[in-house]
Amino acid sequence: MLKGNFKLGTLREYSQSEGGGLMSDHAEGRGETAIVGDIFNQSYTDHGGNRITVGASTQNKYSAVSQINIDACLFCSSKGKYDSKRHADLINGVGDYQANHGIPAFLEIDVSRFQKALALLASTTFAARCLQRDQDIRYSSRVAEYAPSGIQEVMSARHQARWALEIAFTKPERFSVEQEYRFALIPVGRACEALFTSRMKRRVRDAFRAAIHSEGSASP
């Protein structure tokens, strides 16, 4: 990485490659919008453009559920300066967070320079036809609950697309020890695949190398 060789994995890759136990998050990139309570003869247009009328009573919590999937090219970091306690917690495990020995060292990166490096990567790889976004991870449920009166709005394509973006930046509470800040590139009109800057032009690698603020630490 000190040479500018970074990898951006995908939500799909991470959800399929993680092993068992509490470190697993097989629901990365997947979520739901759900209607709580009974629905009686309400109509809405789903994100596929289909007009649907429902009249459902239920003994379950939800009377209607819409599944949402999103994929993105990601770089995951912990926010703030290097923190030896956080590093130790990640390696050794704490509370419901299972020990993760796959992160022996940290780098510190400059966010604004890293954003510029990602923009260059996007223009090189996707001809800039992608959404670039970065933000703190929200540690919460990936199921958004609504009352029956809101079914028309929450099942609309616009709302589903907005919630899909939020899902890309949502993880279960047990991962909060990571204090993750996530960078994402979401290509338009093409599938996501892992990106390796080592396979790209020198100016791309140079941009990522320039984003390194310090070498951080190799041990907590």
Side-chain angles (χ1 to χ4, degrees):
M1 293 177 75
L2 292 174
K3 296 181 179 180
N5 297 330
F6 284 68
K7 176 189 175 182
L8 275 70
T10 69
L11 283 168
R12 182 182 298 274
E13 175 190 2
Y14 293 145
S15 70
Q16 293 176 347
S17 64
E18 292 177 330
L22 293 175
M23 275 301 299
S24 300
D25 186 6
H26 296 298
E28 279 272 28
R30 299 200 300 273
E32 299 175 344
T33 50
I35 303 301
V36 180
D38 297 340
I39 305 172
F40 296 103
N41 296 323
Q42 299 226 31
S43 298
Y44 66 93
T45 302
D46 68 10
H47 52 279
N50 304 303
R51 189 68 179 174
I52 297 174
T53 300
V54 293
S57 297
T58 179
Q59 294 181 341
N60 300 318
K61 184 177 182 180
Y62 303 138
S63 53
V65 175
S66 178
Q67 305 284 338
I68 299 175
N69 297 289
I70 185 171
D71 202 3
C73 301
L74 304 176
F75 184 81
C76 305
S77 64
S78 291
K79 61 184 179 181
K81 292 184 176 297
Y82 174 77
D83 184 329
S84 59
K85 181 182 182 304
R86 176 175 59 199
H87 194 175
D89 288 343
L90 295 179
I91 291 177
N92 301 321
V94 58
D96 289 337
Y97 187 84
Q98 184 170 307
N100 182 359
H101 302 293
I103 45 173
F106 269 79
L107 294 174
E108 290 185 357
I109 61 174
D110 181 284
V111 172
S112 61
R113 289 184 177 182
F114 198 77
Q115 290 168 336
K116 292 177 182 177
L118 286 173
L120 178 59
L121 174 63
S123 65
T124 302
T125 307
F126 305 121
R129 287 182 51 79
C130 76
L131 172 65
Q132 179 176 338
R133 181 169 172 174
D134 56 271
Q135 67 180 65
D136 292 340
I137 284 292
R138 183 178 69 97
Y139 295 100
S140 185
S141 171
R142 294 187 179 105
V143 179
E145 300 179 352
Y146 299 92
S149 59
I151 191 171
Q152 175 64 51
E153 169 62 19
V154 303
M155 294 298 185
S156 68
R158 180 181 61 181
H159 186 278
Q160 299 282 289
R162 188 165 61 243
W163 180 234
L165 282 177
E166 294 303 316
I167 289 169
F169 293 90
T170 301
K171 296 184 74 172
E173 178 64 32
R174 71 176 180 273
F175 292 96
S176 61
V177 64
E178 297 173 343
Q179 299 178 331
E180 184 178 337
Y181 190 85
R182 178 172 286 186
F183 299 84
L185 295 177
I186 306 172
V188 177
R190 59 178 287 182
C192 290
E193 58 184 27
L195 302 175
F196 298 85
T197 62
S198 60
R199 303 173 183 173
M200 298 180 184
K201 295 181 179 179
R202 184 182 182 87
R203 63 192 181 100
V204 175
R205 299 195 305 276
D206 286 346
F208 278 88
R209 186 171 65 248
I212 298 173
H213 178 68
S214 76
E215 295 185 18
S217 177
S219 61

